[in-house]
Amino acid sequence: MKAAFRLIFQLLALAAALAAQAPAQAQTWPSKPVRLVASFPPGTPGDVIARLIQPALQAAWKQPVVVDNKPGAGGNVAAGEVAQAKDDHTLLVGPDTVLTINPHLYRKLGFDPRQSLKPVTYFASFNQMLVCNPATGVNTLAKFTQLPPTNTYASGGPGTPSHMAMEMLLAATGTKQTHIPYRGPGLAAQDVLAGHVGCGFIVSSVVLPHVQSHRLQAVAVSSKERSVLLPAVPTVAESGHAGFDATFFETLMAPASLPAAIAEKIQHDVRTALTTPAMRARLAEMDLRVEGSTPQESEKRSREDFAKWGIVARQTQLQLD
């Protein structure tokens, strides 16, 4: 009996020591420069957000914060590097698709994103905007669905938000289009502008200036709500496909080994940087809605969207090995 009590006492003491250690870890973090590995090229929403909050994070953390772009393979290049990081000072910036879509599409990654990475916070939500070159004559979703299967559409790359939003749309409308992938949404938009490709479901912050200048025709947005910057453009759901929602999130992720106390500290400091009136206004100009979700909220949404995009991947039989 005494041995049992002694064991219980030892376990309680160990638990208390670990509980005390967690806040201490958060208080001393960061102890060296922090690297934000961006999974898409400069100028994409996640990269822009990281660079906008960089000064505030440096001030809060009293350490340099470096943004390092490592685009490729739908975010998997950067994700793989962060997943294998050996310290708590290397974080991943990119769309939530790294955790919600890529595991369904890529079978030979060499790492399991959902086991080796975890979301720390969602920076902001964003949508895709279905745009067409004016020469196509497409200005409504009904007209888009009447295009022949030979019509081409541009995306920012296989498995990216623009690709998956379009695949969800094609499945919902029972239509087919020919996919032309690019290395990032900027290049995709340029070829739709030039008329080399008919249409594209491209992140709204990239195509917004071209829509406003009437060089591209906006047809619909992918999220549940209309864009506050282009309120006349309907959602896909409003255009006859109730329940359609392809909302995405620019996300801060970390190696799964990151202690919870440090994750909470990072989320708190990021949210503080994101929610100033000036930052909200700057992101709103790019059609980005500030989130700043907790690690727990982010993990819950990630699980839900992983299930949703799994259905799309199975319906379309997409494989990107």
Side-chain angles (χ1 to χ4, degrees):
M1 183 67 75
K2 290 183 179 180
F5 278 120
R6 188 180 303 112
L7 178 59
I8 293 172
F9 178 79
Q10 290 172 340
L11 290 173
L12 290 173
L14 177 60
L18 290 175
Q21 183 182 16
Q25 286 178 319
Q27 289 172 4
T28 59
W29 188 96
S31 58
K32 62 180 182 179
V34 177
R35 187 162 69 108
L36 303 181
V37 182
S39 58
F40 280 81
T44 49
D47 168 80
V48 172
I49 293 172
R51 295 181 189 279
L52 284 173
I53 65 174
Q54 185 181 27
L57 295 182
Q58 288 183 150
W61 295 342
K62 297 179 174 55
Q63 289 284 353
V65 175
V66 179
V67 180
D68 186 7
N69 296 85
K70 293 292 180 74
N76 290 328
V77 172
E81 183 170 328
V82 175
Q84 297 166 25
K86 303 298 183 183
D87 62 67
D88 300 331
H89 294 70
T90 302
L91 306 174
L92 177 64
V93 172
D96 60 322
T97 53
V98 168
L99 297 176
T100 61
I101 290 178
N102 291 8
H104 295 296
L105 304 185
Y106 295 88
R107 303 298 182 188
K108 300 177 183 178
L109 284 176
F111 71 102
D112 183 341
R114 294 195 63 79
Q115 293 297 319
S116 54
L117 294 167
K118 64 181 179 182
V120 175
T121 187
Y122 282 8
F123 289 131
S125 62
F126 65 98
N127 60 47
Q128 309 297 299
M129 188 171 291
L130 179 59
V131 294
C132 293
N133 186 287
T136 63
V138 173
N139 58 5
T140 66
L141 188 58
K143 289 184 177 180
F144 173 78
T145 61
Q146 293 168 6
L147 292 171
T150 53
N151 183 68
T152 54
Y153 80 86
S155 84
T160 59
S162 57
H163 180 207
M164 295 304 290
M166 184 65 89
E167 290 294 341
M168 180 184 275
L169 177 63
L170 296 177
T173 58
T175 56
K176 295 184 181 297
Q177 300 281 313
T178 301
H179 180 211
I180 308 294
Y182 291 82
R183 285 183 61 85
L187 294 175
Q190 287 301 316
D191 264 16
V192 179
L193 280 166
H196 301 314
V197 186
C199 301
F201 223 158
I202 303 172
V203 61
S204 59
S205 61
V206 169
V207 298
L208 183 65
H210 308 306
V211 172
Q212 292 172 326
S213 65
H214 305 292
R215 297 176 65 202
L216 288 178
Q217 173 65 54
V219 178
V221 294
S222 67
S223 58
K224 292 188 293 186
E225 300 174 350
R226 295 191 181 199
S227 165
V228 295
L229 300 181
L230 291 171
V233 180
T235 66
V236 172
E238 291 173 327
S239 302
H241 300 280
F244 187 97
D245 178 21
T247 301
F248 299 93
F249 299 87
E250 287 299 342
T251 308
L252 184 66
M253 292 160 274
S257 60
L258 184 75
I262 295 178
E264 290 170 3
K265 172 182 172 59
I266 293 172
Q267 182 269 335
H268 174 270
D269 293 340
V270 167
R271 181 178 176 83
T272 299
L274 284 173
T275 54
T276 65
M279 187 63 68
R280 284 186 180 276
R282 179 70 182 88
L283 295 181
E285 291 173 1
M286 298 186 292
D287 207 18
L288 297 167
R289 292 182 174 86
V290 171
E291 295 284 330
S293 54
T294 67
Q296 295 77 18
E297 292 167 341
S298 302
E299 178 59 37
K300 180 177 182 294
R301 182 62 188 254
S302 177
R303 287 196 305 270
E304 293 170 351
D305 284 349
F306 175 73
K308 177 179 78 174
W309 288 110
I311 295 171
V312 177
R314 289 189 293 273
Q315 286 176 338
T316 55
Q317 298 182 325
L318 285 174
Q319 283 281 282
L320 299 175
D321 290 343

